[in-house]
Structure formats: C-alpha cells, structure tokens
C-alpha cells in the first residue's frame, strides 16, 4: 500500500486485495475517513502504517455483535465505536448526518467511510473505529460491518455534544453484572433513564458491567440485549474488580478495554484496567482504576497522574469516578474483613480531593444507595454546613468537602447496608430484588442535582427515591 502527502492530507491507498490494518501516530490509533487523514491530527508525530491481505470470511464470521459507543478523546469531539466478530474481512464504519431523517429513511450512499482495525482479544476480533470531524449538537446515523460481504449492523445514532452546553444531564449506573437475566436489569434502568431524560448525554458505569469480565458470552448477552441504548448512546466505562480479579476472569486481561474504544494516553493502560479523563461542558470527569493499586492505595503512577490532571483543569465542576468506595454503609466500606481498600483510599485521596475541590465522587462495588455528607481532607464529616431546599431537593451550599455517591445496582445482585460506618451517610437504602437503580445527575450553572431512581423491572415504572444537590 501507499501513503502519499497531498497538501494538508495523507492519502492512504492499500494495494488491490489488501486493507489498511493499522495506522498509528506515536503508538496511538488514528483513523482515516474516505482514505484520507488530516495532518493537523498527527502533526509532528511518527506515523506507522500496516497493510494486510484481505482474507475471505463467511458472512456469519463478520456479522457485527456487541456494539458500544464512547468518547474517543478527552474533549469529546470524537466518538469511538467497537464491535466484535469471529473473523475479519475489511471492517468499516459508515456515518452520515441525520438531517431530520429517521433511521429507516437514512441513505448511506454518500456516507463518510472510516477504515476500521481489527485485533484479536479475548478470542474474538475487536473491530474499532472513530467518528471525527463532527458538527456540535448534531445527530448522526452510523452502522458498522464488513465491506467485502456487505454485511452491516442495524443503524445506530449519536447526537454530538453542543459546543458550549449550558445544561448537562448524565446517568450514574453501576454493577450491572447479571448473567442470569442477560442484561434485563440494566436495560430497564437505561430505558427508564432515557425516557425521563431524552437529552441524557451519556451513561457512566462505575464497573462490573458483567459478572465475569473474561467470559465473552456474558459481554455478548449484556451489550446485545441493551443495544437500543449502548449502541445509540455513549457509555463511559470504569474498571471494576470483575474485570481484573484473576480468580473471576480466569487470568484474562484487558477485559474492559476489549469492548470499548478510547484513546488511552501512554501509561494509563494496565492489565487491570484503564484510567483517563475528559471534559463535558463545565465538568471535568476523572475515571480512576482501583485495580491498579499497591496494597490498598492507587499505584504511584496513577496517583501522580491524578494530581497533575486535577491541577491542570479549569472546569467549574470536578467529578471523580472509581469502582471501590471510600465511604459506604455496605461491607466493602464498613466491614473490617473487607474494607482495607476503603481505608487506604481515604487516607490517600481525601487530601487530594480537598486540595483540588472535587465536588462529587461516584462509586459502585457495594450495591447499595449511599449519599455521604461532605467529607474533608482529614476525613471529617460536615453535618451542619449551610443548606438550601428548593422544591423537594436539599442542596449543600458551598460545601467544604467532597460528597460520595453510590447509586445502588443496575444489575440483579442486591445487598443491604451494615450498621457500622453509617455516620458518613446522610442518606442510605438497600437494594431489593426485582428493581434496578440509577442516578440522573444534572449540572446547570452553579447547581448540581442528583435524582436517584428505583425501577420496577416488571412494570417498567420508576420511583424517585432520593434527591439532593450542591450549589456553589
């Protein structure tokens, strides 16, 4: 194949019978659309292109499965798409502006064609591509598949972030692991969330998406059975212990990353998972990996990165997400047989959260609902700070500490709270069988509002169980 410079474009042309199998800039995947790459994307970087012969593959081997969509870059102007196949022919992603059309009406004849790459991970091919050069606040349709056989997925859609969104709603869900019901609980939560909040920007899942991260069938069941939402809306994934505990994953690694396409910077990709950050509107999000630990603390590399990342952001709001809780009325936050990680993380992270004024920490792992009081650098609970009640919601006003939130479980493993450790929780409740749980978090101006819902999975109805917020 050839790669030829033409003005500000790199034109990539595989030889007949070959495909572009990889294009990397300083070790990071970059993607060409319609055979071209804008050089400003990779200016001053070392480019390495690889070509492979196109092998014949049966339709069944290249039929897309397990499609996910997430933010590819840190300013969320690019969107990463992943899908799984048994074989590889010539994988591509096609996308086009909606222009008011429905999915049934969309025509992909003149769509942008992104060359996808395919890597064998967890015994299947991880096909991955990215959509870029998108207009803000615009709906696009896309589909993925194989160019040789003409085998494509159903049509999916995304709506890009507005250039300067004044109001952002996203969903916090966690511990969706549910091999028996194959994603029915998570689907119920997603359906309820996007019905009540159709403009929801994304779903942030704080880990344990499936029960056995090394079992590809569980991923297939979970994602395919929630595809109305996971293929048409962004998922922000967090590494959970069921993605990296070797006793669960049967020694497999990269379990989470195998199913999502995010441009993870150098050093932030470990066998146990990933950590990264991004901005959305006035919010800076930090995604940590509690599998990358030494003893009961984050590794020095991740901890140093965290400090630099928080020091660099100028966003008004700061939200951190990690799987293991620092404060929880569940066993991993309170039971002395299980809470070593919680104690270690408190000691390590409380001062940093305080120094850089982190507003909210999102957790999972304990499968309960818990909203902490604001917590100081020293671990002191602030119970008597200034509050303001607007409607049915009570807000902490300029809290001098960080609030920690667990949003129950959007899966089928329900748990209760322990009696110990409750002094940290302003509100708490156990989760119960037959129900799925999530929080809708809205940030607008100087107000952050959390609405926590309990969804009846049998009737598709929900109850607003708790509500609180922060004003600053």
């Amino acid at each position: 194949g050839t790669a030829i410079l033409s003005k500000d474009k790199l034109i990539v042309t595989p030889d007949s019978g070959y495909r572009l199998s990889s294009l990397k800039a300083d070790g990071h995947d970059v993607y060409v659309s319609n055979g071209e790459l804008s050089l400003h994307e990779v200016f001053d970087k070392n480019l390495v292109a690889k070509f492979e012969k196109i092998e014949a593959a049966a339709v069944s081997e290249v039929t897309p499965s397990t499609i996910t969509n997430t933010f590819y870059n840190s300013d969320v102007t690019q969107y990463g798409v992943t899908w799984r196949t048994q074989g590889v022919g010539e994988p591509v992603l096609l996308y086009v502006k909606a222009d008011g059309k429905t999915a049934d009406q969309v025509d992909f004849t003149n769509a942008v064609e992104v060359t996808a790459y395919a890597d064998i991970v967890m015994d299947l091919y991880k096909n991955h591509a990215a959509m870029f050069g998108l207009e803000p606040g615009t709906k696009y349709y896309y589909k993925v598949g194989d160019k040789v056989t003409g085998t494509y997925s159903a049509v999916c859609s995304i709506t890009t972030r507005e250039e300067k969104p004044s109001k952002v709603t996203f969903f916090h869900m966690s511990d969706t692991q549910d091999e028996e019901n194959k994603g029915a609980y998570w689907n119920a939560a997603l359906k309820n969330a996007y019905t009540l909040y159709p403009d929801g920007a994304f779903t942030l899942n704080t880990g344990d998406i499936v029960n056995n991260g090394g079992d590809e069938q569980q991923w297939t069941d979970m994602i395919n059975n929630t595809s109305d939402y996971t293929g048409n809306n962004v998922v922000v994934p967090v590494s959970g212990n069921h993605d990296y505990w070797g006793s669960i994953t049967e020694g497999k690694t990269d379990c989470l990353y195998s199913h999502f396409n995010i441009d993870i910077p150098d050093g932030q990709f470990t066998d146990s998972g990933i950590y990264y950050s991004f901005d959305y509107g006035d919010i800076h999000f930090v995604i940590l990996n509690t599998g990358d630990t030494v003893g009961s603390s984050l590794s020095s590399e991740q901890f140093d990165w965290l400090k630099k990342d928080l020091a660099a952001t100028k966003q008004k709001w700061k939200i951190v997400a990690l799987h293991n809780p620092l404060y929880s009325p569940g066993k991993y936050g309170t039971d002395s047989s299980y809470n070593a990680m919680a104690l270690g993380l408190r000691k390590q992270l409380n001062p940093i959260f305080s120094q850089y004024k982190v507003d909210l920490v999102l957790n999972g792992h304990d499968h309960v609902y818990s909203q902490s009081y604001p917590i100081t650098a020293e671990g002191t609970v602030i119970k008597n700070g200034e509050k303001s009640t607007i409607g049915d919601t009570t807000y902490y006003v300029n809290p001098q500490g960080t609030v920690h939130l667990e949003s129950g479980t959007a899966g089928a493993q329900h748990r209760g709270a322990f009696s110990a450790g409750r002094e940290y929780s302003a509100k708490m409740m156990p989760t119960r069988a037959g129900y799925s749980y999530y929080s809708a978090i809205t940030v607008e101006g100087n107000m952050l509002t959390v609405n926590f819902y309990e969804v009846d999975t049998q009737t598709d109805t929900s109850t607003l169980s708790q509500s609180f917020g922060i004003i600053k």
Side-chain angles (χ1 to χ4, degrees):
T2 60
I4 301 173
L5 294 175
S6 177
K7 295 183 180 179
D8 61 345
K9 299 285 187 182
L10 179 73
I11 301 174
V12 181
T13 309
D15 292 340
S16 178
Y18 285 78
R19 65 182 176 88
L20 175 66
S21 62
S22 174
L23 181 61
K24 292 183 180 289
D26 287 350
H28 292 256
D29 288 318
V30 290
Y31 299 93
V32 299
S33 61
N34 298 332
E36 298 181 352
L37 174 71
S38 176
L39 288 183
H40 82 271
E41 298 278 350
V42 292
F43 185 73
D44 269 355
K45 291 183 171 62
N46 296 311
L47 282 172
V48 178
K50 292 184 180 180
F51 300 87
E52 290 183 1
K53 188 175 181 179
I54 298 173
E55 302 291 344
V59 168
S60 61
E61 294 179 317
V62 293
T63 299
S65 173
T66 325
I67 301 169
T68 63
N69 194 324
T70 194
F71 299 128
Y72 187 66
N73 60 349
S74 60
D75 61 2
V76 304
T77 56
Q78 300 180 17
Y79 293 76
V81 180
T82 302
W83 66 101
R84 309 281 280 174
T85 56
Q86 295 175 347
V88 60
E90 190 174 1
V92 292
L93 178 153
L94 307 177
Y95 69 89
V96 63
K97 284 173 64 174
D99 285 334
K101 295 182 176 67
T102 66
D104 293 334
Q105 297 170 333
V106 65
D107 181 2
F108 283 92
T109 303
N110 297 312
V112 176
E113 179 183 291
V114 180
T115 300
Y117 312 133
D119 309 310
I120 278 282
V121 286
M122 285 178 56
D123 304 323
L124 289 177
Y125 282 95
K126 173 188 177 180
N127 303 269
H128 51 100
M131 292 180 279
F132 48 94
L134 308 177
E135 297 178 16
T138 303
K139 184 175 182 177
Y140 288 83
Y141 289 114
Y142 76 94
K143 62 181 180 179
V144 298
D146 176 57
K147 191 174 180 179
V148 175
T149 61
T151 305
Y152 290 95
S153 68
V155 175
C156 302
S157 70
I158 61 160
T159 300
T160 58
R161 185 209 66 195
E162 294 178 2
E163 190 164 3
K164 294 182 179 180
S166 59
K167 179 179 180 180
V168 177
T169 295
F170 70 96
F171 309 118
H172 175 217
M173 302 182 188
S174 197
D175 300 273
T176 48
Q177 57 211 93
D178 182 13
E179 68 269 38
E180 181 177 345
N181 298 285
K182 299 182 179 180
Y185 277 71
W186 192 21
N187 192 71
L190 289 165
K191 180 180 180 181
N192 189 265
Y194 284 104
T195 298
L196 294 180
Y197 302 87
D199 293 329
F202 57 88
T203 295
L204 192 156
N205 190 315
T206 44
D208 292 356
I209 292 177
V210 300
N211 201 47
N212 180 343
D215 186 338
E216 184 58 39
Q217 188 59 51
Q218 290 188 21
W219 284 100
T220 300
D221 291 340
M222 176 65 73
I223 301 301
N224 284 348
N225 291 332
T226 57
S227 60
D228 285 349
Y229 306 101
T230 52
N232 293 283
N233 300 278
V234 166
V235 176
V236 174
V238 179
S239 301
N241 61 295
H242 285 252
D243 300 312
Y244 52 72
W245 274 359
S247 58
I248 294 173
T249 64
E250 299 173 355
K252 292 183 180 178
T253 59
D254 304 339
C255 297
L256 184 77
Y257 190 68
S258 297
H259 299 87
F260 297 93
N261 187 25
I262 307 169
D263 186 23
I264 301 295
D266 293 337
Q268 294 166 222
F269 185 104
T270 72
D271 284 346
S272 65
I274 54 179
Y275 55 95
Y276 57 103
S277 64
F278 64 94
D279 291 335
Y280 200 109
D282 285 338
I283 317 166
H284 183 64
F285 289 89
V286 180
I287 311 300
L288 298 179
N289 174 19
T290 48
D292 177 37
T293 54
V294 177
S296 297
S297 302
L298 300 182
S299 69
S300 58
E301 293 82 3
Q302 185 174 182
F303 185 55
D304 289 344
W305 170 85
L306 171 64
K307 290 185 288 186
K308 292 176 183 176
D309 182 85
L310 288 174
T313 185
K314 293 181 171 39
Q315 304 303 100
K316 179 180 180 69
W317 295 92
K318 301 177 186 68
I319 297 176
V320 173
L322 67 168
H323 183 65
N324 287 69
L326 282 69
Y327 296 94
S328 166
K331 69 179 182 180
Y332 289 103
T334 62
D335 189 318
S336 59
S337 301
Y338 295 93
N339 71 348
M341 178 74 77
L343 297 177
L345 291 173
R346 291 176 196 176
K347 182 177 180 181
Q348 182 187 40
L349 297 180
N350 276 343
I352 300 305
F353 291 164
S354 176
Q355 179 180 355
Y356 295 108
K357 302 187 185 309
V358 171
D359 301 288
L360 186 66
V361 175
L362 305 175
N363 302 122
H365 200 41
D366 255 336
H367 301 212
V368 298
Y369 173 80
S370 175
Q371 169 228 322
S372 81
Y373 293 103
I375 308 290
T376 70
E378 298 76 27
T380 303
V381 177
I382 303 176
K383 294 185 177 181
N384 299 315
E386 184 182 355
K387 298 182 180 70
S388 175
T389 299
I390 302 175
D392 295 327
T393 304
T394 298
Y395 291 83
Y396 297 109
V397 179
N398 295 318
Q400 302 303 300
T402 300
V403 177
H404 297 250
L405 173 67
E406 290 180 275
S407 295
T409 171
Q413 295 186 20
H414 302 91
R415 297 179 189 163
F418 281 47
S419 58
R422 294 191 174 198
E423 67 272 17
Y424 301 108
S425 295
K427 300 283 186 180
M428 74 186 78
M429 60 179 283
T431 53
R432 53 183 178 150
Y435 292 84
S436 186
Y437 301 83
Y438 72 93
S439 290
I441 302 173
T442 299
V443 176
E444 184 175 16
N446 68 338
M447 297 180 66
L448 181 153
T449 305
V450 177
N451 288 328
F452 174 67
Y453 292 89
E454 182 178 53
V455 181
D456 187 326
T457 61
Q458 299 302 310
T459 63
D460 277 343
T461 58
S462 66
T463 302
L464 176 59
S465 296
Q466 304 286 344
S467 182
F468 76 95
I470 299 169
I471 294 175
K472 71 174 198 173

Coordinates of all heavy atoms in Angstrom, one line a residue, residues 4 16 37 53 81 89 151-152 165 170-171 204 212 238 266 275 282 289 295 304 310-311 364 370-371 391-392 454:
I4 N 0.5 8.8 0.7 CA 1.0 9.9 -0.1 C 0.6 11.3 0.6 O -0.6 11.4 0.9 CB 0.6 9.9 -1.5 CG1 1.1 8.5 -2.2 CG2 1.1 11.1 -2.3 CD1 0.5 8.3 -3.6
S16 N -4.4 -3.6 -4.3 CA -5.5 -4.4 -4.6 C -5.4 -5.7 -3.8 O -4.4 -6.4 -3.7 CB -5.6 -4.7 -6.1 OG -6.7 -5.6 -6.3
L37 N -6.4 11.3 5.8 CA -6.2 11.7 7.2 C -5.7 13.1 7.2 O -4.8 13.5 6.5 CB -5.2 10.8 7.9 CG -4.7 11.2 9.3 CD1 -5.9 10.9 10.3 CD2 -3.5 10.4 9.7
K53 N -3.3 -8.6 3.9 CA -4.1 -9.2 2.8 C -5.5 -9.5 3.3 O -5.7 -9.9 4.4 CB -3.5 -10.5 2.3 CG -4.1 -11.1 1.1 CD -3.4 -12.3 0.6 CE -4.0 -12.9 -0.7 NZ -3.3 -14.1 -1.2
V81 N -16.1 3.7 18.5 CA -17.0 2.6 18.3 C -16.3 1.3 18.3 O -15.2 1.2 17.7 CB -17.8 2.8 17.0 CG1 -18.9 1.6 16.8 CG2 -18.6 4.1 17.0
G89 N -12.7 -9.4 7.6 CA -12.6 -9.2 6.2 C -12.0 -7.8 5.9 O -10.8 -7.6 6.0
T151 N -22.0 -6.9 4.8 CA -22.7 -7.3 6.0 C -22.6 -6.2 7.0 O -21.5 -5.8 7.4 CB -22.1 -8.6 6.6 OG1 -22.1 -9.6 5.6 CG2 -22.9 -9.0 7.8
Y152 N -23.7 -5.6 7.4 CA -23.7 -4.4 8.3 C -24.6 -4.6 9.5 O -25.6 -5.4 9.4 CB -24.0 -3.2 7.6 CG -23.0 -2.7 6.6 CD1 -23.0 -3.1 5.2 CD2 -21.9 -2.0 7.0 CE1 -22.0 -2.7 4.3 CE2 -20.8 -1.6 6.1 CZ -20.9 -2.0 4.8 OH -20.0 -1.6 3.9
P165 N -22.4 23.5 26.1 CA -23.7 23.1 26.7 C -23.9 23.9 28.0 O -23.0 23.9 28.9 CB -23.6 21.6 26.9 CG -22.1 21.3 26.9 CD -21.5 22.3 26.0
F170 N -26.4 13.5 32.9 CA -25.8 12.2 32.6 C -26.3 11.2 33.7 O -26.9 11.6 34.7 CB -24.3 12.2 32.5 CG -23.6 12.4 33.9 CD1 -23.1 11.4 34.6 CD2 -23.5 13.7 34.3 CE1 -22.5 11.6 35.8 CE2 -22.8 14.0 35.6 CZ -22.4 12.9 36.3
F171 N -26.1 9.9 33.4 CA -26.6 8.9 34.3 C -25.5 8.1 35.0 O -24.5 7.8 34.3 CB -27.5 7.9 33.6 CG -28.6 8.6 32.7 CD1 -28.6 8.4 31.4 CD2 -29.5 9.4 33.4 CE1 -29.6 9.1 30.6 CE2 -30.5 10.1 32.6 CZ -30.5 9.9 31.2
L204 N -22.5 6.8 32.7 CA -21.2 6.5 33.4 C -21.5 5.2 34.2 O -22.3 5.3 35.2 CB -20.7 7.6 34.2 CG -19.3 7.6 34.7 CD1 -18.8 9.0 34.9 CD2 -19.2 6.8 35.9
N212 N -18.4 -11.9 35.0 CA -17.1 -12.5 34.7 C -16.5 -11.7 33.5 O -16.9 -12.0 32.3 CB -17.2 -14.0 34.4 CG -15.9 -14.6 34.1 OD1 -14.9 -13.9 33.8 ND2 -15.8 -15.9 34.2
V238 N -15.9 2.3 33.6 CA -14.9 2.3 34.7 C -14.5 0.9 35.0 O -15.4 0.0 34.9 CB -15.5 3.0 36.0 CG1 -14.5 2.9 37.1 CG2 -16.0 4.4 35.7
D266 N -0.5 7.2 27.0 CA 0.6 6.3 27.4 C 0.6 6.1 28.9 O 0.5 7.1 29.6 CB 2.0 6.7 26.9 CG 2.1 6.7 25.4 OD1 1.3 5.9 24.8 OD2 2.9 7.4 24.8
Y275 N -7.4 4.2 33.2 CA -7.8 5.4 33.8 C -7.6 6.6 32.9 O -6.6 6.6 32.0 CB -7.1 5.7 35.2 CG -5.6 5.6 35.2 CD1 -4.8 6.8 35.1 CD2 -4.9 4.4 35.3 CE1 -3.4 6.8 35.1 CE2 -3.5 4.4 35.4 CZ -2.7 5.6 35.2 OH -1.4 5.5 35.3
D282 N -19.1 22.3 31.6 CA -18.3 22.9 32.7 C -17.8 21.8 33.6 O -17.3 22.1 34.7 CB -19.2 23.8 33.5 CG -19.4 25.1 32.8 OD1 -18.6 25.5 31.9 OD2 -20.4 25.8 33.1
N289 N -8.9 3.8 38.2 CA -8.8 2.3 38.2 C -8.4 1.8 39.5 O -7.2 1.8 39.8 CB -7.9 1.9 37.0 CG -7.7 0.4 37.0 OD1 -8.5 -0.4 37.6 ND2 -6.6 -0.1 36.3
G295 N -1.0 -2.4 47.5 CA -1.6 -2.5 48.8 C -3.0 -2.1 48.7 O -3.8 -2.6 47.9
D304 N 0.2 10.0 40.8 CA 0.9 11.2 40.3 C 0.1 11.8 39.1 O 0.0 13.0 39.0 CB 2.3 10.8 39.8 CG 3.2 10.5 41.0 OD1 2.8 10.9 42.1 OD2 4.3 9.9 40.8
L310 N -5.9 16.9 37.9 CA -6.7 17.8 38.7 C -6.1 19.2 38.7 O -6.9 20.2 38.7 CB -7.0 17.3 40.1 CG -7.9 16.0 40.2 CD1 -8.0 15.5 41.6 CD2 -9.3 16.4 39.7
A311 N -4.8 19.3 38.8 CA -4.2 20.6 38.9 C -4.3 21.4 37.6 O -4.4 22.6 37.6 CB -2.7 20.4 39.2
G364 N -19.2 2.3 43.1 CA -20.0 1.2 43.0 C -19.6 0.1 44.0 O -19.3 0.5 45.1
S370 N -26.0 5.1 48.8 CA -25.5 5.9 49.9 C -25.0 7.3 49.3 O -24.3 7.4 48.3 CB -24.3 5.2 50.5 OG -23.7 6.0 51.5
Q371 N -25.5 8.3 50.0 CA -25.1 9.7 49.8 C -24.4 10.2 51.0 O -25.0 10.2 52.1 CB -26.3 10.6 49.4 CG -25.9 12.0 49.4 CD -27.0 12.9 50.2 OE1 -28.2 12.6 50.1 NE2 -26.5 13.9 50.9
G391 N -37.8 23.2 46.2 CA -38.8 22.1 45.9 C -38.6 21.0 46.9 O -38.6 21.3 48.1
D392 N -38.4 19.8 46.4 CA -38.2 18.7 47.3 C -36.7 18.3 47.5 O -36.4 17.3 48.1 CB -38.9 17.5 46.8 CG -40.4 17.7 46.8 OD1 -40.9 18.4 47.8 OD2 -41.1 17.1 45.9
E454 N -35.6 4.2 41.6 CA -35.8 2.8 41.8 C -36.7 2.3 40.7 O -37.9 2.8 40.6 CB -36.3 2.5 43.2 CG -36.5 1.0 43.5 CD -37.0 0.8 44.9 OE1 -38.1 1.4 45.2 OE2 -36.4 0.0 45.6

